[in-house]
Amino acid sequence: MKKLQNIIFCLLFATIQNSFGQATSGKVVYKIQLAGFGSQNASPENKELNESIVNIANSKTATLTFNSKRSSFILDNYLSSDSKQNGLTVMAEKLAFIEINGQNYFIDKVSNSSILENMDGFLIEKENEKLEWDITTESKEIDGYLCYKAIYLWKFTNRRGTATTIPIIAWFAPSLPYSYGPKYFTGLPGLILELTDRKITFLASSITILKNQQLEVEFPKGKTVNSEDYKKKVLSR
């Protein structure tokens, strides 16, 4: 316990030290890794489709752009516009998009709000949730940065009405004192360089930090709805 307390103190100290005289601005490109897909539907007739879904998902990337006030997490050029694709490829691309929860996330620290750009075109606005992370002493290097493991227990009620808990695993770098990460997973004393959310892992493949420069973070334009109104619109279809 004492060792863990020392680590947390060092992380907080590093964050404070690096926050002075330095613009918090940068970009991280994450590779997407889909693992364990198709194990529940592994019949021979689905083998080709399952393999296509995994291959397509694992060929894609997502980009986190951030400054001191805002961040965006966007899937990069996900769906192909090639009209010559066969039916199986088109289906595999759409299912891969769904499997990796193909949505774009935009976070505003000043207003403590976020916008989720859903795959159906809706912009869903909500208040930022403070995530309760359990920081562990387990560590490893990612792209030359020492990272520590943190766990967030996501609790929700599934479609069957059963209370469910899923562990979200993050590896963050205290030497990069920016509390951002993939999707809406934020709040750690360091940039998240790897995150596993169920079958999907986002792994940093390119890290760019800009000192004394603020990148612009563009938010989507259009009318937003809150989560409750969005649910009512979906149910009324």
Side-chain angles (χ1 to χ4, degrees):
M1 178 62 72
K2 186 175 181 181
K3 183 178 179 181
L4 178 58
Q5 290 175 339
N6 289 338
I7 288 174
I8 294 174
F9 173 79
C10 291
L11 297 181
L12 293 174
F13 180 76
T15 302
I16 294 171
Q17 287 291 98
N18 283 279
S19 64
F20 292 98
Q22 186 182 85
T24 55
S25 184
K27 282 190 177 184
V28 182
V29 178
Y30 295 88
K31 291 181 180 179
I32 296 173
Q33 299 175 345
L34 173 59
F37 178 80
S39 58
Q40 295 178 336
N41 191 19
S43 58
E45 60 268 25
N46 291 316
K47 182 179 179 182
E48 185 178 1
L49 177 61
N50 289 342
E51 289 178 350
S52 295
I53 291 171
V54 172
N55 289 336
I56 289 170
N58 290 352
S59 70
K60 304 305 177 182
T61 59
T63 298
L64 170 69
T65 304
F66 63 88
N67 58 34
S68 59
K69 299 178 181 178
R70 285 180 158 192
S71 72
S72 65
F73 183 76
I74 298 174
L75 290 172
D76 299 319
N77 299 321
Y78 196 77
L79 293 177
S80 171
S81 59
D82 186 357
S83 61
K84 296 181 180 180
Q85 294 181 109
N86 60 42
L88 184 140
T89 302
V90 171
M91 181 182 294
E93 282 199 333
K94 291 180 179 179
L95 291 175
F97 189 74
I98 293 171
E99 190 63 30
I100 66 172
N101 195 18
Q103 298 160 321
N104 297 326
Y105 297 81
F106 304 84
I107 294 175
D108 190 315
K109 285 186 174 181
V110 176
S111 63
N112 194 36
S113 64
S114 60
I115 293 176
L116 169 63
E117 186 176 31
N118 210 23
M119 63 182 73
D120 56 13
F122 277 95
L123 299 177
I124 306 165
E125 186 171 8
K126 63 178 183 178
E127 184 178 352
N128 289 337
E129 180 184 357
K130 183 178 179 180
L131 306 181
E132 298 295 331
W133 292 98
D134 178 19
I135 299 174
T136 75
T137 59
E138 190 173 348
S139 65
K140 68 177 180 179
E141 277 198 7
I142 299 175
D143 199 22
Y145 293 96
L146 177 63
C147 296
Y148 286 92
K149 181 179 180 180
I151 303 170
Y152 165 63
L153 297 179
W154 177 34
K155 299 178 181 179
F156 65 100
T157 301
N158 63 23
R159 293 179 180 178
R160 298 178 180 178
T162 305
T164 306
T165 300
I166 294 177
I168 307 298
I169 308 298
W171 294 88
F172 68 98
S175 60
L176 299 173
Y178 317 116
S179 59
Y180 295 109
K183 299 171 70 173
Y184 60 90
F185 296 106
T186 61
L188 283 165
L191 192 63
I192 297 175
L193 300 187
E194 181 179 327
L195 183 130
T196 299
D197 179 1
R198 289 161 289 182
K199 297 176 183 177
I200 300 296
T201 294
F202 300 95
L203 178 61
S205 60
S206 173
I207 304 166
T208 303
I209 303 298
L210 301 175
K211 296 182 179 180
N212 302 316
Q213 182 180 349
Q214 286 275 54
L215 286 173
E216 291 294 326
V217 178
E218 298 290 338
F219 273 38
K221 296 180 180 179
K223 183 179 180 180
T224 62
V225 297
N226 60 42
S227 298
E228 291 303 316
D229 287 343
Y230 175 72
K231 290 177 183 177
K232 290 177 183 177
K233 289 179 181 293
V234 171
L235 291 173
S236 65
R237 290 179 179 178

